[in-house]
Amino acid sequence: MRKAVVKPALLALALAGPLVSAPRESAADERVKRGAYLAAIMDCGGCHTPGALRGKPDHARALAGSDVGFEIPGLGIFYPPNLTPDRETGLGKWSAAEIIKAVRTGSRPDGRVLVPVMPYHSYAKLTDKDAQALAAYLKSLKPVRNQAPAITGPTEKPRAPFLRVVVPE
């Protein structure tokens, strides 16, 4: 019977594991994952998902705009809009830079101010890298066609349910 001779270099290779490792995520995939994490801890879905403000979020339409608004005394009723990349009812026509500006400043691309209850003063502190990750995540979502109710002026009749924000005296 013949003895097998294993050379030290071959033994080291065998113990080191496979020569081909699992494919590493791309930088774009990592950015989108980071954006998903940020959207979760920023609780974007808490306002921007249908049913969330009623305690029954419609996860099939996550981030597709709320059906319940916030009344700000003297300003009107604001409904959290669709954040999916739907071109007609969401952010589909917005660039990443426009999304980042809106998140950080509360200002839409057309210059209108977003709802005053959105904590954009806090979101302004996002690093550039995190703001870009959040925008990449929102742009990566499946577009969901869902038009949130339009802003209702302070003297107009409400078109949909809303929460009243009471200013302390």
Short mmCIF file of all heavy atoms in Angstrom, two decimals, residues 56-83:
data_model
loop_
_atom_site.label_atom_id
_atom_site.label_comp_id
_atom_site.label_asym_id
_atom_site.label_seq_id
_atom_site.Cartn_x
_atom_site.Cartn_y
_atom_site.Cartn_z
N LYS A 56 -53.07 50.99 11.26
CA LYS A 56 -53.14 49.81 10.40
C LYS A 56 -52.41 50.10 9.09
O LYS A 56 -53.03 50.31 8.04
CB LYS A 56 -54.60 49.46 10.12
CG LYS A 56 -55.35 49.05 11.37
CD LYS A 56 -56.76 48.67 11.07
CE LYS A 56 -57.45 48.25 12.36
NZ LYS A 56 -58.79 47.79 12.16
N PRO A 57 -51.07 50.12 9.14
CA PRO A 57 -50.32 50.44 7.92
C PRO A 57 -50.53 49.41 6.82
O PRO A 57 -50.57 48.21 7.08
CB PRO A 57 -48.87 50.46 8.39
CG PRO A 57 -48.85 49.69 9.66
CD PRO A 57 -50.22 49.80 10.27
N ASP A 58 -50.69 49.90 5.60
CA ASP A 58 -50.82 49.05 4.42
C ASP A 58 -49.41 48.80 3.88
O ASP A 58 -48.89 49.58 3.09
CB ASP A 58 -51.69 49.76 3.38
CG ASP A 58 -51.89 48.95 2.11
OD1 ASP A 58 -51.26 47.88 1.97
OD2 ASP A 58 -52.68 49.40 1.26
N HIS A 59 -48.78 47.71 4.33
CA HIS A 59 -47.39 47.43 3.96
C HIS A 59 -47.22 47.18 2.47
O HIS A 59 -46.12 47.33 1.95
CB HIS A 59 -46.86 46.26 4.79
CG HIS A 59 -46.83 46.57 6.26
ND1 HIS A 59 -45.98 47.51 6.80
CD2 HIS A 59 -47.58 46.09 7.29
CE1 HIS A 59 -46.18 47.58 8.11
NE2 HIS A 59 -47.15 46.74 8.43
N ALA A 60 -48.28 46.81 1.78
CA ALA A 60 -48.20 46.62 0.32
C ALA A 60 -48.01 47.96 -0.38
O ALA A 60 -47.57 48.00 -1.53
CB ALA A 60 -49.45 45.92 -0.20
N ARG A 61 -48.34 49.05 0.31
CA ARG A 61 -48.18 50.39 -0.27
C ARG A 61 -47.28 51.25 0.62
O ARG A 61 -47.48 52.45 0.77
CB ARG A 61 -49.54 51.06 -0.47
CG ARG A 61 -50.43 50.34 -1.44
CD ARG A 61 -51.71 51.09 -1.75
NE ARG A 61 -52.50 51.31 -0.54
CZ ARG A 61 -53.38 52.31 -0.39
NH1 ARG A 61 -53.57 53.17 -1.36
NH2 ARG A 61 -54.06 52.44 0.73
N ALA A 62 -46.26 50.64 1.18
CA ALA A 62 -45.35 51.35 2.08
C ALA A 62 -44.78 52.59 1.40
O ALA A 62 -44.38 52.55 0.24
CB ALA A 62 -44.22 50.43 2.52
N LEU A 63 -44.80 53.68 2.12
CA LEU A 63 -44.25 54.98 1.71
C LEU A 63 -44.99 55.59 0.52
O LEU A 63 -44.48 56.51 -0.12
CB LEU A 63 -42.75 54.88 1.42
CG LEU A 63 -41.90 54.45 2.61
CD1 LEU A 63 -40.44 54.29 2.19
CD2 LEU A 63 -42.02 55.43 3.77
N ALA A 64 -46.21 55.13 0.24
CA ALA A 64 -46.97 55.62 -0.92
C ALA A 64 -47.90 56.77 -0.59
O ALA A 64 -48.80 57.09 -1.36
CB ALA A 64 -47.75 54.47 -1.57
N GLY A 65 -47.70 57.44 0.54
CA GLY A 65 -48.51 58.60 0.87
C GLY A 65 -49.62 58.26 1.84
O GLY A 65 -50.19 57.18 1.79
N SER A 66 -49.92 59.20 2.72
CA SER A 66 -50.91 58.96 3.76
C SER A 66 -52.31 59.33 3.31
O SER A 66 -52.51 60.16 2.44
CB SER A 66 -50.56 59.77 5.00
OG SER A 66 -51.47 59.46 6.06
N ASP A 67 -53.28 58.69 3.97
CA ASP A 67 -54.68 59.02 3.75
C ASP A 67 -55.22 59.85 4.91
O ASP A 67 -56.40 60.16 4.97
CB ASP A 67 -55.51 57.75 3.55
CG ASP A 67 -55.28 56.72 4.66
OD1 ASP A 67 -54.41 56.93 5.52
OD2 ASP A 67 -55.98 55.70 4.66
N VAL A 68 -54.34 60.20 5.85
CA VAL A 68 -54.69 61.04 7.00
C VAL A 68 -53.70 62.20 7.03
O VAL A 68 -52.50 62.00 6.85
CB VAL A 68 -54.61 60.24 8.32
CG1 VAL A 68 -54.85 61.14 9.52
CG2 VAL A 68 -55.60 59.08 8.30
N GLY A 69 -54.22 63.40 7.26
CA GLY A 69 -53.36 64.57 7.26
C GLY A 69 -53.15 65.15 8.64
O GLY A 69 -53.64 64.62 9.64
N PHE A 70 -52.42 66.25 8.68
CA PHE A 70 -52.17 67.02 9.90
C PHE A 70 -52.70 68.43 9.67
O PHE A 70 -52.32 69.09 8.71
CB PHE A 70 -50.66 67.13 10.18
CG PHE A 70 -49.99 65.84 10.48
CD1 PHE A 70 -49.36 65.11 9.48
CD2 PHE A 70 -49.97 65.34 11.77
CE1 PHE A 70 -48.72 63.91 9.75
CE2 PHE A 70 -49.33 64.13 12.06
CZ PHE A 70 -48.70 63.43 11.06
N GLU A 71 -53.56 68.89 10.56
CA GLU A 71 -54.02 70.28 10.48
C GLU A 71 -53.08 71.15 11.30
O GLU A 71 -52.84 70.88 12.48
CB GLU A 71 -55.44 70.42 11.01
CG GLU A 71 -55.92 71.87 10.93
CD GLU A 71 -57.26 72.10 11.59
OE1 GLU A 71 -57.53 71.49 12.64
OE2 GLU A 71 -58.04 72.89 11.04
N ILE A 72 -52.56 72.17 10.66
CA ILE A 72 -51.73 73.15 11.35
C ILE A 72 -52.57 74.43 11.43
O ILE A 72 -52.95 74.99 10.38
CB ILE A 72 -50.42 73.45 10.57
CG1 ILE A 72 -49.67 72.15 10.23
CG2 ILE A 72 -49.55 74.42 11.36
CD1 ILE A 72 -49.20 71.34 11.40
N PRO A 73 -52.92 74.88 12.65
CA PRO A 73 -53.80 76.04 12.78
C PRO A 73 -53.30 77.23 11.95
O PRO A 73 -52.13 77.60 12.00
CB PRO A 73 -53.75 76.35 14.28
CG PRO A 73 -53.42 75.03 14.92
CD PRO A 73 -52.50 74.35 13.94
N GLY A 74 -54.22 77.78 11.18
CA GLY A 74 -53.92 78.95 10.36
C GLY A 74 -53.23 78.64 9.04
O GLY A 74 -53.12 79.51 8.18
N LEU A 75 -52.75 77.41 8.85
CA LEU A 75 -52.04 77.05 7.62
C LEU A 75 -52.81 76.08 6.75
O LEU A 75 -52.70 76.12 5.53
CB LEU A 75 -50.67 76.46 7.94
CG LEU A 75 -49.66 77.38 8.62
CD1 LEU A 75 -48.37 76.64 8.93
CD2 LEU A 75 -49.39 78.59 7.74
N GLY A 76 -53.54 75.17 7.36
CA GLY A 76 -54.30 74.20 6.58
C GLY A 76 -54.00 72.78 6.99
O GLY A 76 -53.42 72.53 8.05
N ILE A 77 -54.43 71.86 6.14
CA ILE A 77 -54.25 70.43 6.39
C ILE A 77 -53.26 69.88 5.37
O ILE A 77 -53.45 70.07 4.16
CB ILE A 77 -55.59 69.68 6.32
CG1 ILE A 77 -56.57 70.28 7.33
CG2 ILE A 77 -55.38 68.19 6.59
CD1 ILE A 77 -57.99 69.79 7.17
N PHE A 78 -52.24 69.22 5.86
CA PHE A 78 -51.16 68.69 5.02
C PHE A 78 -51.20 67.17 5.09
O PHE A 78 -51.29 66.60 6.17
CB PHE A 78 -49.81 69.19 5.51
CG PHE A 78 -49.67 70.68 5.47
CD1 PHE A 78 -50.20 71.47 6.48
CD2 PHE A 78 -49.03 71.29 4.41
CE1 PHE A 78 -50.08 72.85 6.43
CE2 PHE A 78 -48.91 72.67 4.35
CZ PHE A 78 -49.44 73.46 5.36
N TYR A 79 -51.11 66.52 3.93
CA TYR A 79 -51.13 65.06 3.84
C TYR A 79 -49.75 64.58 3.40
O TYR A 79 -49.25 65.02 2.36
CB TYR A 79 -52.20 64.60 2.84
CG TYR A 79 -53.59 64.95 3.33
CD1 TYR A 79 -54.14 66.20 3.06
CD2 TYR A 79 -54.33 64.06 4.09
CE1 TYR A 79 -55.40 66.54 3.53
CE2 TYR A 79 -55.59 64.38 4.56
CZ TYR A 79 -56.12 65.64 4.28
OH TYR A 79 -57.35 65.98 4.76
N PRO A 80 -49.12 63.71 4.19
CA PRO A 80 -47.79 63.21 3.81
C PRO A 80 -47.84 62.57 2.42
O PRO A 80 -48.65 61.68 2.16
CB PRO A 80 -47.47 62.18 4.90
CG PRO A 80 -48.25 62.68 6.10
CD PRO A 80 -49.53 63.20 5.50
N PRO A 81 -46.99 63.03 1.50
CA PRO A 81 -47.06 62.58 0.11
C PRO A 81 -46.42 61.21 -0.14
O PRO A 81 -45.74 60.65 0.71
CB PRO A 81 -46.30 63.67 -0.65
CG PRO A 81 -45.30 64.16 0.34
CD PRO A 81 -45.99 64.08 1.68
N ASN A 82 -46.63 60.75 -1.34
CA ASN A 82 -46.09 59.49 -1.84
C ASN A 82 -44.57 59.66 -2.03
O ASN A 82 -44.13 60.54 -2.77
CB ASN A 82 -46.78 59.17 -3.17
CG ASN A 82 -46.39 57.84 -3.75
OD1 ASN A 82 -45.38 57.25 -3.42
ND2 ASN A 82 -47.21 57.36 -4.67
N LEU A 83 -43.79 58.82 -1.38
CA LEU A 83 -42.33 58.87 -1.51
C LEU A 83 -41.78 57.82 -2.47
O LEU A 83 -40.57 57.75 -2.65
CB LEU A 83 -41.68 58.67 -0.13
CG LEU A 83 -42.00 59.69 0.94
CD1 LEU A 83 -41.25 59.37 2.23
CD2 LEU A 83 -41.72 61.11 0.47
#
